[in-house]
Amino acid sequence: MVRITAYILLFLFLFSCQHGKKEKNPELNDLESIKKKGELTVLTLYSSTSYFLYRGEEMGYEYELIKQFAESEGLKTKIVVAENIGKLVEMLQKGEGDIIAYDIPITGDLKDRLLYCGPEIITHQVLIQRIEKNKTLLRNVTELVGKDIYVEKDSKYETRINNLNSELGGGIKIHLMNKDTIITEDLIEMVANGKIDYALADNNIARLNKTYYNNIDIKLNISFPQRSAWAVRTNEPELAKAIDKWAENNTKSPKYKEILKRYFELSKNSPIPEVLSIKKGQISVYDPLFKKYAKEQGWDWRLIAAQAYHESRFDTSVVSWAGAKGLMQIMPRTARSNGLADKDIQNPEKNIATAIKIMASLERSFSTIEDPQERMKFILASYNSGIGHVLDAIALAKKYGKDPQKWDGNVAEYILLKSNPEYFNDEVCKFGYFRGRETYSYVNKVLKLYEYYKSKIKA
């Protein structure tokens, strides 16, 4: 009896020890345990190249790649966004995610704490300069002496240009911009628009922005290469191996090349020149459809025509870099959620009818904005960007004492600032990074063309 009791006590002791171990480490966090979960938790940052929301859909170069890997392993993806690289590393080590899908610099410091994996990226800083007739482009860093270079204050670009200036014996005219209001992508736009002559950017950011501004040159390297990659915890070697194997095979695949092309090669501008043609009181062959569906909402059909012109130049076959289709450039997921099948997205009547349905829903969302003209600006902005980014801009306007029911000079200011981490990381923002200058321009252009159509065409 004593012997049996001893065996029971020993069994209970061993069981409690094993149970205790499981409690301390409930998940192994290797590839097999992730597969059992059926979901890969991905840590990343908001940015124009990593992850963002566009017209309500998740997008981003890094996002699409990690999603592609997850699908190859039969996994769903869950995205968790951090505020900065330091926070990404901290969250990974705490087990709040399985992988960092963001380009983490490969440094001796971090090598002891992280296991790098996936597609290795070589980044370097480049000079952004404007291409102009009869203007000689700079092709050597020594030519920067005497030039006005604009960079964000307290950034790696400031560090690099100061070091380069010292190496060259001085003479570079360095202008530091307040990074709370001006970021690198703003400086690139200023170069493209002729407001400044030179700025610095990482080559991947420069490549992406060149798809928006084809008059910029980004060929002059001004820094040493920096290696970067994704990362997992040091106790996740199997996950790292799987990602490395996938990356090696994936870089040769048509799908990878298509993703690369969409983000870094395809122009984000309209493929058709802006040429207006109004003949015999007609804006386009789709005027009867604009009239039919605008009337159902009590809207001026000429406004919808102006919107369609800026969306597609009245070309039903247009597909944007992001996948939006048809006259009114509707995203496939948005189409499906509004009862429009993929095969019918480019059907002119169904496309217009669905666009009006989307805008009617947006009008209900902004019903508290009493002025109908102001309300339409919010509707147009939301149609272009997705309502989430406009709601964020409204929240920021409220926080900083602006009128949340007025667009120009109020909410519009904050849609522009949604590309700045100082603002999109604000606690009142729920939808992260957004390239707001496009939406700002879209609202202005649509309304300007609407006024033109009103002056030329009878209602």
Side-chain angles (χ1 to χ4, degrees), residues 7-271:
Y7 279 131
I8 293 172
L9 289 172
L10 179 61
F11 172 80
L12 291 173
F13 173 77
L14 291 171
F15 176 81
S16 66
C17 287
Q18 289 299 317
H19 183 69
K21 286 179 184 177
K22 287 182 182 179
E23 283 299 308
K24 288 179 183 177
N25 188 13
E27 290 188 18
L28 297 174
N29 289 314
D30 59 9
L31 184 58
E32 287 307 313
S33 65
I34 291 169
K35 284 184 176 180
K36 285 178 184 177
K37 278 192 307 181
E39 183 177 75
L40 183 70
T41 303
V42 179
L43 302 172
T44 191
L45 301 183
Y46 282 123
S47 81
S48 58
T49 56
S50 55
Y51 177 73
F52 58 92
L53 298 174
Y54 178 71
R55 295 192 175 191
E57 297 199 18
E58 294 175 299
M59 301 198 74
Y61 173 67
E62 304 286 351
Y63 167 74
E64 293 205 34
L65 290 184
I66 193 61
K67 189 177 178 185
Q68 195 180 17
F69 164 74
E71 288 173 355
S72 74
E73 296 288 342
L75 299 168
K76 295 179 181 178
T77 50
K78 177 185 176 183
I79 302 295
V80 179
V81 183
E83 293 180 9
N84 52 54
I85 289 178
K87 193 69 176 173
L88 278 179
V89 174
E90 181 185 325
M91 290 170 72
L92 180 71
Q93 293 186 318
K94 284 183 176 179
E96 294 175 26
D98 302 308
I99 181 171
I100 295 174
Y102 185 83
D103 290 337
I104 301 293
I106 299 175
T107 64
D109 229 16
L110 288 175
K111 270 187 174 181
D112 296 332
R113 302 166 62 194
L114 303 173
L115 188 57
Y116 289 100
C117 59
E120 187 174 297
I121 304 297
I122 306 296
T123 59
H124 51 266
Q125 294 178 32
V126 298
L127 182 73
I128 310 296
Q129 52 186 324
R130 192 169 51 260
I131 300 169
E132 290 179 317
K133 191 176 181 180
N134 300 322
K135 178 185 175 183
T136 302
L137 294 170
L138 307 187
R139 288 291 177 249
N140 192 295
V141 292
T142 58
E143 297 175 294
L144 295 177
V145 174
K147 302 298 190 295
D148 293 281
I149 312 294
Y150 292 77
V151 296
E152 291 177 65
K153 191 177 188 302
D154 299 324
S155 68
K156 61 184 177 182
Y157 306 115
E158 179 188 354
T159 301
R160 178 54 191 151
I161 199 65
N162 282 334
N163 289 341
L164 186 56
N165 192 40
S166 178
E167 292 165 18
L168 294 173
I172 299 175
K173 300 175 183 176
I174 301 169
H175 301 266
L176 303 180
M177 310 299 287
N178 185 344
K179 65 191 299 182
D180 291 348
T181 53
I182 299 286
I183 62 169
T184 297
E185 288 184 293
D186 296 322
L187 294 175
I188 294 174
E189 181 185 35
M190 290 167 73
V191 171
N193 293 339
K195 294 179 180 178
I196 61 176
D197 288 327
Y198 304 102
L200 304 185
D202 283 340
N203 63 306
N204 59 339
I205 294 173
R207 284 176 64 202
L208 186 143
N209 276 271
K210 189 164 174 58
T211 65
Y212 289 94
Y213 313 112
N214 58 12
N215 68 330
I216 61 171
D217 178 270
I218 60 173
K219 293 179 181 176
L220 179 58
N221 296 347
I222 58 93
S223 75
F224 297 109
Q226 167 67 62
R227 294 163 59 228
S228 59
W230 295 349
V232 298
R233 282 183 296 282
T234 53
N235 67 343
E236 295 180 304
E238 294 306 315
L239 176 58
K241 284 178 188 175
I243 292 170
D244 284 338
K245 184 177 179 181
W246 166 83
E248 184 180 349
N249 297 328
N250 184 58
T251 52
K252 301 167 188 173
S253 73
K255 190 169 182 180
Y256 169 75
K257 290 174 182 175
E258 189 270 331
I259 293 171
L260 193 69
K261 186 176 181 180
R262 278 199 294 114
Y263 284 95
F264 299 107
E265 297 174 28
L266 281 183
S267 173
K268 307 301 186 297
N269 298 315
S270 172

Side-chain angles (χ1 to χ4, degrees), residues 276-278 447-457:
L276 299 177
S277 178
I278 298 176
L447 292 177
K448 184 178 179 181
L449 183 57
Y450 172 45
E451 291 302 319
Y452 174 77
Y453 283 161
K454 285 199 296 183
S455 71
K456 300 290 184 181
I457 306 290

Side-chain angles (χ1 to χ4, degrees), residues 391-401 414 418 423 426 428-429:
L391 293 176
D392 276 356
I394 289 172
L396 286 166
K398 287 178 181 176
K399 179 171 181 174
Y400 291 100
Y414 292 96
K418 279 273 287 168
Y423 293 91
D426 192 294
V428 303
C429 285

